[in-house]
Each structure stands twice: as C-alpha cells, then as structure tokens.
Amino acid sequence: MNESSAEARHEPSADPSPAPGREAAPGRVILLTTSHRVAPGLLSWPAWQALRAADTVLCADGAHPQLPYLREAGIAVTEASPTARELVDACAGGRTVVVVATGEGEPALTDGLARLAGSGRVAMPELELLPASYDLPGARLLDLVQVMDRIRAECPWSSRQTHEGLAKYGIEEAYELVEAIEAGDREELREELGDVLLQVVFHSRIAEEDPDAPFSVDDVAGGIVTKLIHRHPHVFGDERAETPEDVKAHWLRTKAEEKRRTSITEGVPLGQPGLALAAKLASRVRTAGLEVPLPRGEGIGYELLALAVAAEADGVDPEAALRAAARVYRDAIKDSEAARAAGGGKEDEA
C-alpha cells in the first residue's frame, strides 16, 4: 500500500520506535462487539477498561452509533478498515488495538486473521472477542417493532389494513397455533407463535394512528405487565399460594375486583365455538359455586350442551376432544379414498 492510499483510508501503521523491551511482543487485537438493541454508550466495565487501555481504537464505520459516546468519554477512535496483515503489523511491539466491530461483525477481517494464523508464517497477536453489550431476553422484539414500522409505512397492502380487516387473521392464527400444539410439532409451534405475535404488533402499530385514542405496543405491554403483577400477589406481594387452586382463587378474586362485574357471564365471548362456549359457562358456574340446572329442550343443541358441561366437570376440553376425534375421522376418510383409488386402478387394468 502506498502512503497516499493509507492516508485516504486512515489506515493504522506500526510505530517504528517501539518501547524498549516490546520489540518481540506480538501485541493484542480485541474485537469489540455491541448490540444495536441496547442504547449506545451502555457498555460493560471490561469494555471501557479495554478501550481506555488500548494503544489504538479503530472502527470502519464512521456512522457507528457508539462513536459519539466513545469520543465524548475521551476515547480517540480512528476511522479505518485495515486488512488482517495491516492489523497484525499495527500490534507489533506489544501494542493493543481495539476494533469496534460494525453490525456485520467484521467477517472479512476475522477470516483474514484466521488465514494468517493458519499459515504458521506470521507471529500472531493475541486475539480476543469482547462483547461490550448484550441483548437482554426479549431484545429481538425490538427488531419486530422496527420491521413492522417500516412495513406499515412502505407496504401498499399493510399500510391500508384496519383492525376490522385483520380480525379474521387473528382467529385463523389462533387456530393454527392450537393445531400445532395438538400435533406436537415444535418447529410449527415456534412459527405459529410468531404469527400470533405478529398480529399483536400489527394491531398495536395500527392503533398508534388512531386520532382519538391512540396507543402503542409499549402501552399494550405495560398494561399486561401491570395486570400480571396485580393478579399474582403470591409472587410480587405478601400473599401465599401453595397449590394451583390457591393461585386460581387469587386470580379470580383480583379479576372480580378489577372488573366489578354484575354477572359471572360477563367477559365470556359469545363468538367462540359452541362447545368451548358451553364449557366456559359451565366453568364459571362451577367456580362460583352456583347450582344452575341445564335448560331442557329438544334437539342436538341441548344434547351437545349437556355433553360439553359433563366434559368440563370431568376436566376435559370438549372442543379439543372433538377436534381429536375429527382428526381420526379425517384419517379414516383418507384411508377410504386411498382404498377406492387403489380398487379403481385395478379395475382399469382389468
């Protein structure tokens, strides 16, 4: 590399006069990684120690979000994109060079260092990967919110959607999630959970644009956090709960205090499937300790009501039980179709 190109790229160069006793030391390279999901400047203490002790700090991205905060803290950062060989030379004489990694993680640089180390012909500096900030659990949800913001703004279909228009998809995704759970397919379960989560984020993004009562995904999350804490006094308060029944009693009591309902039927969605609706009403009756005789009437509806109530009393979800039976019926239909097709083929050959 000639002198002018090195100056144009702000490349580091080895000091020709290393300190006495450091001539033979190969030095040290620290690759500093950060998470864009954490506020810039919130670095770990080992990261700040490494930055302050370094002889040189490099970063290939002049727009890296950490750079203003590093410079504000008195860290001199040089914008440079050294090759692996240039970086090794910059460490000569026992120097420490910190490379603030870009979002891609500097794969070209690390691959080049690996090739040099594998050649056996170069005295390599110590190489250290130092995570300066970490993603907290749930950090990828921030990515989802950002992606949804962009889709809402730029996608011709998504930008026109409303709560009412998306309602059917929420129902479909919920059923697909249930199907994945009942099938025991872990990969499908993960995917369907993502689809359900998308509905929550999508509706929340639409809600931000309401002119009268806007709210955001943060408001949604904040509301459910408050509710969970309030309804779990045995976890976040002084109440005690030794059994699942104790927990349910806490939940029902705090829920009743919050809602101030005049009937146990309030809050039961009438649009859910019939068997699930009947079981839910039966559950409310049983929990409240009421004695409510089943209505008498003619027809399959009343028979199904009685079956659903009996199933709920036995701890059986009648909707899930019927779906399981229906899947067996579906398989029987497929077997019958296959047998007919096989028989028809033989007749054609004859």
Side-chain angles (χ1 to χ4, degrees), residues 1 6 10-19 22-30 53-59 78 80-99 109 113 116 122-127:
M1 185 193 324
H10 308 286
E11 299 291 1
S13 58
D15 185 340
S17 304
R22 295 176 61 178
E23 290 83 349
R28 184 182 182 201
V29 173
I30 300 176
D55 295 288
T56 304
V57 178
L58 307 176
C59 183
T78 302
S81 303
T83 65
R85 181 74 224 202
E86 291 165 347
L87 187 58
V88 170
D89 291 343
C91 293
R95 291 175 175 79
T96 295
V97 177
V98 172
V99 177
L109 182 60
L113 290 170
L116 284 179
V122 178
M124 294 295 294
E126 295 181 31
L127 303 177

Side-chain angles (χ1 to χ4, degrees), residues 270-303:
L270 299 180
Q272 63 183 305
L275 288 177
L277 172 59
K280 186 64 176 179
L281 290 171
S283 174
R284 290 284 182 93
V285 168
R286 181 172 51 80
T287 302
L290 297 176
E291 294 290 340
V292 182
L294 290 177
R296 296 183 178 275
E298 298 294 331
I300 190 65
Y302 289 95
E303 295 176 18

